[in-house]
Amino acid sequence: MAMLPLVLHWFFIEWYSGKKSSSALFQHITALFECSVAAVITLLVSDPVGVLYIRSCRVLMLSDWYTMLYNPSPDYITTVHCTHEAVYPLYTIVFIYYAFCLVLMMLLRPLLVKKIACGLGKSDRFKSIYAALYFFPILTVLQAVGGGLLYYAFPYIILVLSLVTLAVYMSASEIENCYDLLVRKKRLIVLFSHWLLHAYGIISISRVDKLEQDLPLLALVPTPALFYLFTAKFTEPSRILSEGANGH
């Protein structure tokens, strides 16, 4: 949940930056700075205050995330709202982090975009910021409703979504070989970002007591991109259409 704002920032910056804009890299760096600072501040204000680690309650079962559903009702008449966060602070710390992300974005990004986004029209310069004003409330609701489910399923969600988005990006950018990938720096940034997500998903799935067996799986991180590059020429639509017209 902490990585999602950064990933979405990068996605919308890339989406709205335009092919001729030179400001995308600076916006990517600024988004990384915003989320990093927000994460550090969130850790510092959490218990224990002033240090970069948290004191957390252990998660035992899915119902620990939804204690509000277990408020007692004496005599089945009046519900007593007395439950607390059993997984403290794993549930509320995400909301605090989002608040700091939003504040830092509103303080830093508009000034940066106004100064360096010269390759974009006036109506397009702030679209990545407007997108954030939409996805932050969505992420907040997602954490509030599905925090427990995400806690158990996030490694698999990260792996699947990172594979899908990488394939969609390479297809939309018409990347068919290594030269197409290396010709623009932005494409390499997107590729390395997806590789980091792949690696994070694999590490999250790894068993703590058997790391020496699971960590070698990190060698598979480049495999999806290499598979795409090696097979893209066989699935090019123009080639399939031409072969179909020739009766092959």
Side-chain angles (χ1 to χ4, degrees), residues 27-151:
Q27 293 187 64
H28 284 309
I29 296 174
T30 304
L32 177 61
F33 175 78
E34 294 166 3
C35 293
S36 301
V37 173
V40 171
I41 296 175
T42 302
L43 290 176
L44 290 176
V45 300
S46 300
D47 183 52
V49 178
V51 294
L52 293 177
Y53 63 87
I54 59 175
R55 187 179 294 113
S56 175
C57 299
R58 185 179 179 183
V59 181
L60 298 178
M61 58 186 69
L62 180 63
S63 59
D64 291 343
W65 290 82
Y66 304 102
T67 54
M68 72 288 293
L69 302 178
Y70 297 93
N71 286 311
S73 300
D75 300 325
Y76 302 97
I77 298 175
T78 303
T79 300
V80 180
H81 298 279
C82 60
T83 56
H84 296 274
E85 183 180 354
V87 295
Y88 177 85
L90 301 181
Y91 188 77
T92 53
I93 197 173
V94 176
F95 303 127
I96 299 172
Y97 168 73
Y98 287 168
F100 283 122
C101 282
L102 188 59
V103 170
L104 289 172
M105 182 194 71
M106 296 307 297
L107 290 176
L108 300 178
R109 194 85 63 82
L111 298 176
L112 177 73
V113 172
K114 188 175 181 180
K115 291 291 184 181
I116 67 174
C118 301
L120 300 175
K122 291 184 178 179
S123 60
D124 296 331
R125 291 185 181 184
F126 300 101
K127 282 189 175 180
S128 62
I129 300 176
Y130 296 152
L133 298 179
Y134 282 97
F135 70 66
F136 268 118
I138 294 174
L139 291 178
T140 301
V141 173
L142 184 63
Q143 168 68 10
V145 176
L149 298 174
L150 292 171
Y151 177 79

Side-chain angles (χ1 to χ4, degrees), residues 202-203 205-218:
I202 292 174
I203 293 173
I205 296 175
S206 299
R207 295 161 295 181
V208 177
D209 57 336
K210 296 183 179 180
L211 287 178
E212 67 281 357
Q213 297 180 13
D214 296 341
L215 289 185
L217 293 175
L218 291 175

